[in-house]
Amino acid sequence: MTRDELYDFWRFEEAFPFSGWDFGHLDGRWEGEPLPWDFYTEVQRRLRRTDQLLEVDTGGDFLLSLRHPYENTAVTETWGPDAEDYRNMLAPLGIRVEECDAAEEPLPFAENAFDIAISRRGEYRHDELFRVLRPGGLFLTEQVGGRNNALLARRLLPDYRPPYPHHHLSADCEAFAEAGFELLDAKEYFPKLRFYDTGALVYYAHMIDWEFPGFSVDRCLPELFALERELSERGYVESMEHRYLIVARKPAK
């Protein structure tokens, strides 16, 4: 493509609509390295059908994939419109749905209410998780760490500063220990993420604006042209993601 054609291509991708956390527009245009663990498997091998289950900051689809008895399941959601959507989707099944900012507010449940709680990329208060879990209860989480896409963001945004520098495994483990939990498992990994055209990168950076603060095609033109040259030589532009897994237990006594 000529420079003008590339510019028009990038502006098209920047304006392309995005909804429902659906990245289908990038099918075949990017590839992520698999994690050395599977969160679904980590939950399923610990979850008994008689357990009272809480999902903090629900994702809806993941919860339903567990096929846990609905009458033994409750969820929280932070954002009002999403909470209403999940209430319409999950409550008719018998799942309890509560709107709650779990990172800031007390959870709207009684003490010792749950056998197991999970959160896939959601936010939470460690003390509140400890309160609502029964003695011996488990909490499992898979998180996006603060270094997610940071290397690529620095290449696009010379004045980039990580928005969540303290969000990483060791800090979260320390907070769980301070809240009284026993740590059963803790893993951290930095998988590669490859983009096979720079338009896919533009679309992604525009959508994930909290990881690429201030990004726009017009602002980042020199950097985009440099990445286009790299892609023509290597066949891809690479980013580095950041994930970690924690399994914590409330002591039985």
Side-chain angles (χ1 to χ4, degrees):
M1 294 186 191
T2 67
R3 291 175 69 90
D4 287 345
E5 288 171 337
L6 276 170
Y7 177 74
D8 290 343
F9 175 47
W10 293 335
R11 289 299 304 273
F12 170 82
E13 293 291 345
E14 187 176 37
F16 197 89
F18 176 80
S19 64
W21 207 243
D22 179 8
F23 285 94
H25 181 59
L26 298 184
D27 287 352
R29 304 170 65 191
W30 68 341
E31 185 177 17
E33 180 186 358
L35 294 172
W37 65 79
D38 180 73
F39 189 61
Y40 176 88
T41 301
E42 295 288 341
V43 174
Q44 278 286 34
R45 69 188 183 89
R46 295 174 171 91
L47 183 61
R48 303 165 299 184
R49 291 190 62 80
T50 56
D51 283 344
Q52 292 295 319
L53 169 66
L54 169 65
E55 184 179 36
V56 178
D57 269 1
T58 188
D61 290 341
F62 179 81
L63 178 75
L64 293 176
S65 74
L66 296 173
R67 300 182 182 275
H68 195 63
Y70 300 143
E71 66 274 14
N72 295 347
T73 306
V75 303
T76 68
E77 172 54 43
T78 300
W79 194 49
D82 278 353
E84 186 63 26
D85 288 344
Y86 289 129
R87 190 173 289 112
N88 293 335
M89 178 174 69
L90 301 177
L93 301 175
I95 295 173
R96 180 177 173 181
V97 180
E98 296 286 349
E99 182 178 347
C100 170
D101 185 351
E104 301 292 338
E105 302 172 354
L107 293 169
F109 306 106
E111 292 183 13
N112 305 326
F114 298 99
D115 300 287
I116 185 167
I118 62 175
S119 183
R120 190 167 180 262
R121 307 180 185 183
E123 297 184 87
Y124 42 78
R125 281 177 47 180
H126 304 79
D127 61 333
E128 277 297 292
L129 292 170
F130 191 89
R131 182 182 66 81
V132 302
L133 282 170
R134 293 170 179 165
L138 297 175
F139 178 68
L140 296 88
T141 187
E142 180 183 274
Q143 290 289 315
V144 177
R147 292 169 62 186
N148 200 62
N149 291 310
L151 295 179
L152 181 58
R154 286 193 181 95
R155 299 188 66 188
L156 284 167
L157 302 157
D159 58 349
Y160 169 79
R161 296 290 183 274
Y164 309 107
H166 305 299
H167 192 52
H168 53 80
L169 180 65
S170 60
D172 216 353
C173 286
E174 182 177 345
F176 275 109
E178 289 177 353
F181 282 94
E182 302 168 342
L183 291 170
L184 303 184
D185 200 2
K187 300 183 177 79
E188 193 165 34
Y189 195 65
F190 297 89
K192 297 174 182 176
L193 177 64
R194 290 179 174 176
F195 296 90
Y196 296 114
D197 70 73
T198 49
L201 188 158
V202 166
Y203 176 80
Y204 182 74
H206 177 66
M207 292 301 104
I208 313 297
D209 55 358
W210 58 92
E211 290 189 355
F212 299 87
F215 170 81
S216 72
V217 170
D218 287 333
R219 179 184 178 190
C220 302
L221 268 179
E223 291 80 12
L224 284 171
F225 280 119
L227 290 171
E228 177 67 25
R229 288 191 296 271
E230 177 180 315
L231 187 142
S232 67
E233 295 170 0
R234 299 179 64 188
Y236 57 85
V237 172
E238 190 167 272
S239 184
M240 184 185 74
E241 298 186 292
H242 181 190
R243 300 286 187 271
Y244 65 85
L245 170 79
I246 292 176
V247 181
R249 178 172 61 198
K250 181 175 178 177
K253 293 183 180 180

